[in-house]
Amino acid sequence: MSAFLDHAHLLDGALARVAAYMALSLLTGVWLWQRRWRRLLRHDIYYRLSAFALGVLGLLIALSSVALEAATPFSSGSMEFPNSEEVTQVLNTSFGIAWLMYGAFLLMAAMSKSRWLVLVGLMGMLLSMVLSSHAGDGGIGQLIFWIDFFHLGCVLIWLGGLTLMLVFRLSGAEKTTKGDLQFFSRLALPVFMLILGSGVTRAVFQYYEEGVLEQAYIVMLIIKIGLVMGVIACAWQLRCKLQQTDVKASAYDNGVSLEYFFAILLLLVTGLLTQLPPN
Amino acid sequence: MLAKKPYPMKILLIVMLLCPLSSWGHSKLVTTEPANGVVLDTPPKLVTLNFNKPIEPKLHRAEVWSGGVWRVLPSEVGGNVLTIDLKESGSLSEYKIRWSVMSPDGHRQRGLLRFFVK
């Protein structure tokens, strides 16, 4: 379990990825619901600005954690500020370039009015996230890169749609009919199945590559599987509620909130897993 | 609707849930030349550290313990290999070298290599 303490920047690295994923999922959610209703959302600009702020926060945390480590490569406990040369070095690494790409595409996706530019921005952000992860080590020519790209893309569609749906339901910013909820439910089931399928494929690859896993890593995986089950149980309940003729709005909203609670915990655990050494 | 799925679909779902949805690992040190703890007849000019995957060519560092302080050694990365130049370290009876490299995914690894000269 010492893996949790060995890496001084474990939590900031995880937090950076969670913030970046959230920014991307928010923008994906906006894109999804705008396609559904074929119009701009009522508070479109606030969603985009929130996503932009989250994405920039993630980018800054990711780069600063690596720059801090570059300044003190052997004493992880100390907090010596990096000099300009070390910051430049970080920005010139493949990791730094991937995160700068993320920032540029974030700007495009958050600020553009054209739906095609937004889509290009979202794809670019997704590509940059995979490039800055371990799946991007071998470049875009590797099969694992595209499995990861597909997996993350599906996660963001589901999480983005769910986030916005929860915001609409709780704030009343947009009126969601039973048809809208059924639209998301119909979309979420196959997307979630694809998430599980691509996740299992990645796990099989990893098993052949890594063999026995570190204890801390296994613990986090068990927690993650538990949270996945929590999400599935909530989604199942919501689907059953939607099949009833008389859906009680408050009960449905409670179910969505609970599913989102599990989803956010799942995201945090996933962020931690990307930072832990598997063995 | 999910409850009405055929039996094999349920089995597939359970199998999927039992499998980890994990990230990939980071690059790891595989071998060193000279090996850790070895006793050599003459001091080596170079030390090489071989990793299982490529490491970042820009952010790496190696230092040797000499005269009661850590002294920076020239080092370079080529693909999966970190090469440390010992020519400037002088002749020592015990070499204690600490190294630090970064994977392309931003994760830093560090370690200590120790060997002796007769």
Side-chain angles (χ1 to χ4, degrees):
Chain A
M1 296 292 272
S2 63
F4 287 116
L5 304 170
D6 285 349
H7 184 16
H9 297 279
L10 179 83
L11 287 178
D12 38 341
L15 192 65
R17 288 199 84 82
V18 169
Y21 288 145
M22 273 312 294
L24 186 45
S25 67
L26 251 181
L27 290 169
T28 310
V30 169
W31 186 87
L32 181 74
W33 285 103
Q34 282 183 349
R35 296 285 72 73
R36 160 76 182 163
W37 289 324
R38 298 182 188 284
R39 63 169 171 83
L40 282 180
L41 300 180
R42 202 168 292 158
H43 300 302
D44 175 67
I45 187 69
Y46 297 113
Y47 301 137
R48 286 166 187 272
L49 285 176
S50 305
F52 184 72
L54 263 174
V56 170
L57 182 74
L59 185 151
L60 292 176
I61 295 174
L63 293 179
S64 70
S65 85
V66 173
L68 281 167
E69 283 201 307
T72 53
F74 297 111
S75 50
S76 55
S78 67
M79 286 290 280
E80 196 173 303
F81 280 99
N83 59 36
S84 59
E85 192 191 335
E86 284 156 349
V87 172
T88 311
Q89 273 186 336
V90 169
L91 294 179
N92 281 314
T93 59
S94 47
F95 180 80
I97 292 166
W99 274 98
L100 289 178
M101 262 174 64
Y102 174 88
F105 283 117
L106 170 69
L107 190 67
M108 183 192 275
M111 302 303 167
S112 179
K113 292 256 191 268
S114 155
R115 66 175 177 167
W116 293 111
L117 281 181
V118 171
L119 194 59
V120 170
L122 291 175
M123 288 294 182
M125 286 167 76
L126 186 54
L127 203 73
S128 313
M129 287 302 291
V130 183
L131 273 173
S132 67
S133 72
H134 193 79
D137 273 6
I140 60 168
Q142 303 284 316
L143 176 64
I144 185 59
F145 180 93
W146 294 107
I147 294 173
D148 209 55
F149 183 88
F150 181 76
H151 178 74
L152 201 53
C154 290
V155 170
L156 295 169
I157 290 172
W158 164 71
L159 185 63
L162 185 69
T163 306
L164 266 285
M165 191 170 82
L166 184 68
V167 170
F168 300 154
R169 299 285 301 175
L170 297 187
S171 70
E174 301 281 351
K175 191 175 179 295
T176 46
T177 62
K178 192 175 176 183
D180 295 325
L181 303 180
Q182 281 169 335
F183 153 76
F184 184 71
S185 184
R186 276 196 302 271
L187 177 80
L189 179 63
V191 167
F192 207 83
M193 294 299 282
L194 290 172
I195 292 169
L196 289 174
S198 52
V200 170
T201 310
R202 291 172 65 201
V204 169
F205 273 98
Q206 186 175 28
Y207 178 76
Y208 282 110
E209 188 188 315
E210 305 285 347
V212 182
L213 299 173
E214 164 83 30
Q215 195 187 352
Y217 199 83
I218 293 171
V219 169
M220 295 310 287
L221 276 179
I222 292 169
I223 295 172
K224 184 171 179 174
I225 292 169
L227 291 169
V228 169
M229 286 178 171
V231 166
I232 289 176
C234 290
W236 187 308
Q237 285 295 314
L238 289 173
R239 283 179 76 83
C240 292
K241 280 193 174 76
L242 278 179
Q243 282 163 15
Q244 295 165 4
T245 45
D246 185 27
V247 184
K248 205 174 172 189
S250 60
Y252 190 84
D253 292 348
N254 285 343
V256 176
S257 302
L258 190 61
E259 184 178 347
Y260 197 69
F261 170 75
F262 283 120
I264 289 298
L265 288 182
L266 193 57
L267 195 64
L268 288 169
V269 170
T270 305
L272 269 176
L273 273 172
T274 63
Q275 305 299 305
L276 282 172
N279 60 11
Chain B
M1 192 177 282
L2 201 63
K4 291 175 188 166
K5 289 215 167 289
Y7 192 63
M9 200 65 186
K10 285 180 187 170
I11 293 173
L12 182 67
L13 193 66
I14 291 165
V15 169
M16 282 173 164
L17 288 172
L18 290 175
C19 293
L21 307 174
S22 53
S23 72
W24 291 85
H26 318 310
S27 53
K28 295 188 293 275
L29 181 66
V30 181
T31 57
T32 64
E33 181 58 45
N36 194 34
V38 79
V39 181
L40 303 169
D41 292 328
T42 53
K45 290 187 173 61
L46 295 173
V47 169
T48 54
L49 279 73
N50 300 291
F51 294 83
N52 66 336
K53 286 169 196 164
I55 47 174
E56 185 56 56
K58 293 193 177 72
L59 289 175
H60 54 86
R61 190 144 144 172
E63 293 176 356
V64 65
W65 183 253
S66 170
V69 288
W70 288 105
R71 295 181 196 282
V72 179
L73 293 169
S75 57
E76 62 178 36
V77 167
N80 298 14
V81 182
L82 172 72
T83 307
I84 304 166
D85 194 335
L86 286 186
K87 279 175 220 145
E88 293 169 22
S89 68
S91 190
L92 302 168
S93 58
E94 180 190 356
Y95 283 82
K96 212 156 73 173
I97 297 168
R98 62 180 186 180
W99 55 267
S100 172
V101 296
M102 194 178 99
S103 299
D105 60 0
H107 294 100
R108 190 164 280 278
Q109 288 121 78
R110 46 180 80 91
L112 186 75
L113 174 67
R114 202 171 169 197
F115 56 89
F116 306 90
V117 177
K118 282 179 191 167

